[in-house]
Amino acid sequence: MPKVHRRTSKTPPARLASRGKSRVLIVLCIVLPPLVLTWKTLFSHSLLPADLLTMMPPWKEANAPLIGFWNALIWDSLGQYFPWRDFAARVFQSGYIPLWNPFQFCGLPFLANSQSALFYPLNLIFWLTDTRRAFGLSGFLHLALAGWFTYLFLRAVRLRRFGATVGAVTFALNGYFLTWIFLPTVVSSAIWLPLALLFAEKFFRRGKPAFAVGAGAAVGLSALAGHPQIFLLCTLFFGFYFIARGIFLKQWLRLAGGILLTGGFAALLAVVQLLPLAELLRFSHRAPSAGAERYDFYLSWALPWHNLVTLLLPDFFGNPGTTTFWGKGNYAEFCAYAGILPFALALIAVRYGRGFHARFFAIFAAVWLLCALGTPLNWFFFHFIPGMSRAGSPARLLLLYLSSVAFLAGIGANWVTQAYSEKGAAWLRPRLLAVILVVAILAVGLAFFSRALLPYSGEFTLQDVFGDAKPNITLLGSICLVSIILIFAMGARSRQVRNALAGAVVFLIVADLLIFGFRYIRTSPRAEVFPSTGVTRFLQENADGGRFLALSPEPLEEAWPASDLPEAVYLLRGMRPFPRALLPPNSAMVYSLRDVLGYDSVYLANYRALVGELEGRDPSPAANGNLLLASSARRDMLPLFGVRYLLSLVPLEGRDLRLVYDGEVKVYEVISAVSRAWAADGSFSPGVAMGEAEIVEDGINHVRVEASLTTDGYLVLADAFYPGWHAFVGGQEMEIIRANGAFRAVALPAGSHQVDFHYRPAVFKIGLFAFLLALSIAAGCSTNAILLRRRGFEKR
């Protein structure tokens, strides 16, 4: 008979059962809070603020009163992320890779926009399920993974289960995640930080190259998740940790080798996304300004010093979820809330923590917070860290501050359990009471400090200034009171008492952060997310590949007003004017309609210039340079863009227009409209009759045109000119010429021709090869690890 290998253990069965129960409880502590937060979106609702749509035409009913609260940041979930995810899902399901987006800006690279996140593995949720449901599923999954990765990291640095659980729930439910959850790329990019730290820790402890590869995979996944700024910040934090850890352990060769392995594999995995992005940035509208001006603008979006009160009283300036926010900028941009008890436990870690991790995270929590406040520390990062000049604002570093606080909270909780076991409740009790007192005094002190710094504060009573913070003050007092009761309840050192106290602490942390999340997060029935309207149905039935141009009410600043108002206006509580833009940019993608305008963080600079000629002014509202809107248009240029319909809320005059739909929106047909493709002479004008052209296939990455020219001339296609497009005539590649400043043209001899335009960017081919190679290396490392573990088990 073959020899049977049996694994033996001296651990009593009762203790094994106890460990099993504790592991189940830990998993529940990590998984249940995100589930409670998002449960409705798993069934009937969507994690999207669809009520914002009801305030904008064509979804807004005539004379309907404004409801809710305009929040420019969470609008991006509807204005960008839902259209992108829905478009990508439809294209993937049809069997193609959406390298190009034909529905906005007369065409734009889609993969190259990193926030498309086409190769991020966890976005399979979007590609394989209903997009309206997928936002909630993705939010739940990423918050749960954030907690689990943090738990594993803190266990790897020798924290007990209680400390690791505290750190895990604090990181997963921190205020930055909960306020940015509507924008999936932010959370998706950030959750890989603790996993990268975990692999770095294992690499320095064990020296196996596979762990450096694992750290590189985590960094690469952060890049693929789609938010370049968050990826940059997390990579920066990881880089400091990796270098500091190697120096602390004096493992110089391992440090150098680890940097090469980690950085190399991360680049190999992420280049499929980063290389096309780098190419797009060369042609984008985001041209760099002078260094000093750029730095001053960067600092202008730092966390205001009076916002320090929100470390403990997050709604001191109101909350968008309750339509009371009156603080500067956007609530989410300046959110620094980690919870009351996590903040207190982090203070304990700073005061009593020993060892590398307590000191490292304490130092960097201070560094990131000071940078977020716009102090001179930013000068080094801005000028010497590549990419920081494009990182948005110093306030984005609050993510790293909150990550540090979460890790410190775990370390502080771990210290409390050790001190409780080793020195007893009598020694520990006064120290914990002192920390609770410090937190309470600090909250009150910061509140009066903020009141003193507020403009026009003398004109308001304490009731006016502190009114919005009442729920926070009540919660702070309740948590402090319950904490004091728990501190005095410490007595016997029995396991049951310790477990009960630990459970109570975790419960308080989770309850605090969930209450915060529920005040901000709102969901909508799925049917309300971009519902079909009369005008969208009309355009779908009649556009036939042509484009439309939506004219917003004048002036453009009222069509899309600034969300960042003068400081004096913020004191008018809840004042955030709703935009009046008609069928706002990117909405057309949802209905597969072609829009002249668009909304994107990177789009083509030459196209922006041409739209400026069409409008005779800057096509972007002052509130947002990433938007292209129109309040008027030169009629003689409409055929140049292939515009077939004009949309307006008010009647339009002109013999060149014919009213064809009069409902919630007025639709005018441009009588002189031509197809997006035409035959022309060297002027590329659609008004010169040189023959005929017809688009016979109109795909995502491919357009086929049949053209018949009476004399030698050009085929002009009013789609954006961009590297990576190739034109073939009779199997022979032809040069694509830039026409009219932003479109494509191909020189053709007289006669009939079939011209195929294919989008085949070389940067994508290179990146895809590297991506597949990275997957092969990862699969090989995983297989080898499994085989080694199996052999070790058999030997035992």
Side-chain angles (χ1 to χ4, degrees), residues 56-78:
M56 306 174 73
W59 307 281
K60 182 180 183 293
E61 296 180 2
N63 301 319
L66 292 180
I67 60 172
F69 183 95
W70 172 249
N71 188 324
L73 189 143
I74 68 171
W75 164 254
D76 285 355
S77 63
L78 290 167

Side-chain angles (χ1 to χ4, degrees), residues 127 131 226 312 351 766:
W127 316 148
T131 312
L312 293 169
R351 171 62 181 87
I766 296 170

Side-chain angles (χ1 to χ4, degrees), residues 207-361:
K208 294 182 179 180
F211 290 125
V213 171
V219 174
L221 286 168
S222 177
L224 292 178
H227 202 290
Q229 296 171 344
I230 300 301
F231 157 67
L232 171 65
L233 298 182
C234 291
T235 303
L236 177 67
F237 195 7
F238 169 78
F240 279 124
Y241 179 88
F242 197 90
I243 293 171
R245 193 66 173 137
I247 293 174
F248 178 79
L249 296 174
K250 299 181 180 179
Q251 296 178 355
W252 309 109
L253 290 177
R254 190 172 293 180
L255 173 61
I259 290 174
L260 292 175
L261 278 173
T262 300
F265 190 80
L268 201 64
L269 185 65
V271 72
V272 68
Q273 189 72 74
L274 298 182
L275 200 57
L277 172 63
E279 181 181 61
L280 178 57
L281 287 173
R282 290 172 48 213
F283 301 96
S284 81
H285 71 295
R286 288 196 166 191
S289 57
E293 295 175 1
R294 199 163 70 244
Y295 182 58
D296 291 341
F297 178 78
Y298 177 80
L299 291 183
S300 70
W301 283 98
L303 177 74
W305 281 86
H306 55 257
N307 271 55
L308 283 174
V309 67
T310 61
L311 297 178
L312 293 169
L313 303 175
D315 292 345
F316 186 83
F317 303 102
N319 190 304
T322 56
T323 68
T324 58
F325 180 59
W326 53 282
K328 180 182 179 180
N330 192 285
Y331 183 89
E333 287 279 5
F334 299 137
C335 184
Y337 190 62
I340 303 300
L341 283 183
F343 187 87
L345 291 168
L347 291 181
I348 291 173
V350 172
R351 171 62 181 87
Y352 297 105
R354 298 292 182 267
F356 168 82
H357 294 94
R359 293 168 183 168
F360 177 86
F361 291 125

